[in-house]
């Protein structure tokens, strides 16, 4: 059941193109996490970013190589039979939210478990997540523009933000 939900999350994210929209879809359809709680944007993003669901094929090898990650396996071992494991992705500090490390500090290895999704789906999700970073709401650094974080573009839905006059 969990594997089917993971597949659904990836396919709907690529279809809808938004973390907010996929969370709304999951809530509307009563789809709960394995702990029977509603999915948050943070939880969905964590699933989408996790390579544990993707196969160890050459596309994944090349993707991680392009990020300059340390790959703990020979290229010839990337045969698509097993899924991936990535270590050292976050800085672990007690009492604080984990921060992502630069991809050059990650260690990529081949797991012993089977993949749930194909590599093209996982890579497409990474590209879409990266494209969507510019649309993420950021807390304004000053209160000079009191409507910051409240106004959205009527066409694309992105947050409107103040721009200094030139």
């Amino acid at each position: 059941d969990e594997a089917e939900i993971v597949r659904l999350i990836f396919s709907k994210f690529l279809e809808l193109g938004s973390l907010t929209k996929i969370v709304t879809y999951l809530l509307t359809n009563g789809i709960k996490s394995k702990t029977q709680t509603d999915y948050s944007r943070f939880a969905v993003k964590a699933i989408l970013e996790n390579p544990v669901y993707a196969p160890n094929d050459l596309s994944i090898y090349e993707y991680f190589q392009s990020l300059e990650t340390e790959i703990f396996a020979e290229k010839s071992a990337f045969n698509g039979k097993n899924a991936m494991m990535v270590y050292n992705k976050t800085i672990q500090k007690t009492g604080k939210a984990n921060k992502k490390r630069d991809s050059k500090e990650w260690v990529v290895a081949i797991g012993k478990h089977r993949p749930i999704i194909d590599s093209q789906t996982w890579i497409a999700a990474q590209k879409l997540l990266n494209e969507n970073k510019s649309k993420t709401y950021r807390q304004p650094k000053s209160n000079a523009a009191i409507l910051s974080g409240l106004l959205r573009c009527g066409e694309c839905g992105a947050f409107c933000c103040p721009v200094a006059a030139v």
Side-chain angles (χ1 to χ4, degrees):
D1 291 344
E2 289 174 44
E4 284 305 314
I5 292 172
V6 168
R7 286 185 197 99
L8 175 70
I9 287 172
F10 273 90
S11 68
K12 284 294 180 185
F13 177 65
L14 293 176
E15 175 189 330
L16 300 172
S18 157
L19 288 172
T20 303
K21 288 179 182 176
I22 183 69
V23 169
T24 301
Y25 174 87
L26 295 170
L27 289 170
T28 303
N29 289 283
I31 299 168
K32 305 273 187 186
S33 71
K34 64 182 174 182
T35 59
Q36 295 305 304
T37 58
D38 292 330
Y39 281 97
S40 66
R41 285 178 62 239
F42 178 80
V44 170
K45 186 177 181 197
I47 289 169
L48 292 168
E49 289 180 332
N50 197 341
V52 73
Y53 307 114
N56 67 325
D57 65 14
L58 290 177
S59 295
I60 292 290
Y61 177 87
E62 290 166 5
Y63 175 82
F64 282 115
Q65 194 172 47
S66 75
L67 296 178
E68 299 181 37
T69 57
E70 183 177 339
I71 301 173
F72 194 72
E74 296 296 321
K75 185 176 182 177
S76 60
F78 282 76
N79 57 19
K81 293 181 182 176
N82 292 56
M84 300 302 304
M85 297 294 294
V86 176
Y87 301 96
N88 205 38
K89 270 184 88 173
T90 59
I91 300 168
Q92 305 289 321
K93 287 196 177 183
T94 307
K96 292 191 175 188
N98 297 334
K99 287 189 168 188
K100 279 180 75 173
R101 294 181 188 271
D102 185 89
S103 59
K104 294 175 184 170
E105 298 180 55
W106 300 354
V107 178
V108 174
I110 298 171
K112 294 188 177 192
H113 60 289
R114 297 282 174 224
I116 293 176
I117 59 167
D118 63 85
S119 58
Q120 299 312 312
T121 298
W122 189 81
I123 292 169
Q126 305 321 295
K127 289 178 181 175
L128 184 54
L129 284 167
N130 197 39
E131 289 170 15
N132 286 353
K133 279 183 184 177
S134 65
K135 298 176 187 174
T136 303
Y137 169 71
R138 291 173 182 83
Q139 186 69 29
K141 294 184 180 175
S142 75
N143 292 333
I146 61 171
L147 296 178
S148 291
L150 298 175
L151 296 178
R152 289 182 175 260
C153 173
E155 290 184 28
C156 71
F159 283 100
C160 296
C161 58
V163 177
V166 181

